Amino acid sequence: MVGLLIERITGLSVKQAITTRIIEPLALTGTSFPAAGDRTVPAPAVHGYHGIRIGALNLWTDLGTALEPSIYSTSGAMISTLQDVTAFDRALVEGRLLSPATLAELKKTVTVGGGLSYGLGVAAHTLPCGGTAWGHDGIVNGYYSETLVTADGRHASVVTNAHLATNAPIAQMYTLLDTALCETAP
């Protein structure tokens, strides 16, 4: 749905619009929006695993790096590094991508629980040491990541190459993010 809106407003393909309006201006050299059929994952890349844990039993499928990201379109086709994701999130929170009015709309949130409130494509996470961190997760078969940034420039990222069908490590990931962001708090 978002992809169709982007194409209609810009007159460009989603790949072209994202590349020319975000990736190139922010010099995100480790980021790409793959075209349909492109299964190339730039090196270095870790294998992703998809699985389920039932008690002590783990059932895993090694997805290798043969995933075709384009199947996710605007909901997750991007390939990126943690450094580039952080650079994007910082540019967004610092107001370098959107007008002040649009950024204010983006940050109007609705509480969804677990210390999270969700705005227009971005989540606000209340830090246990005070303040708010902004970011978004990324979940596709074999991978789960979360990057958060604060208005004062602190940032933390965590990624796992194991996407669990059940028992996703969400709480553990937020514990790591909270610890990293609160220990670097001014």
Side-chain angles (χ1 to χ4, degrees):
M1 189 79 133
V2 170
L4 295 174
L5 185 60
I6 290 170
E7 289 178 345
R8 184 167 201 161
I9 291 171
T10 66
L12 302 170
S13 71
V14 172
K15 176 183 172 66
Q16 291 172 310
I18 289 173
T19 300
T20 60
R21 293 173 178 241
I22 297 171
I23 295 172
E24 290 172 352
L26 292 179
L28 304 178
T29 57
T31 302
S32 62
F33 191 97
D38 183 356
R39 292 176 179 240
T40 306
V41 177
V46 296
H47 283 228
Y49 295 86
H50 185 70
I52 187 167
R53 181 180 304 142
I54 304 170
L57 182 63
N58 293 298
L59 305 170
W60 296 99
T61 301
D62 181 353
L63 300 174
T65 54
L67 176 70
E68 183 172 340
S70 69
I71 63 172
Y72 298 105
S73 187
T74 53
S75 69
M78 305 273 304
I79 296 174
S80 193
T81 63
L82 287 178
Q83 293 85 358
D84 278 6
V85 171
T86 300
F88 169 80
D89 284 344
R90 289 180 76 182
L92 183 65
V93 170
E94 292 168 2
R96 291 186 280 136
L97 288 176
L98 304 171
S99 69
T102 303
L103 184 58
E105 285 295 317
L106 179 98
K107 288 184 171 183
K108 287 183 180 175
T109 61
V110 174
T111 302
V112 294
L116 283 176
S117 297
Y118 210 81
L120 295 174
V122 66
H125 174 66
T126 303
L127 296 169
C129 57
T132 301
W134 296 87
H136 198 285
D137 62 5
I139 303 171
V140 297
N141 285 338
Y143 304 94
Y144 178 41
S145 66
E146 179 75 51
T147 298
L148 294 174
V149 299
T150 62
D152 63 7
R154 289 175 290 138
H155 57 278
S157 297
V158 64
V159 65
T160 178
N161 64 328
H163 177 221
L164 298 168
T166 60
N167 304 321
I170 297 168
Q172 296 91 332
M173 292 176 88
Y174 275 101
T175 297
L176 289 170
L177 292 163
D178 286 343
T179 300
L181 291 170
C182 287
E183 287 186 2
T184 59

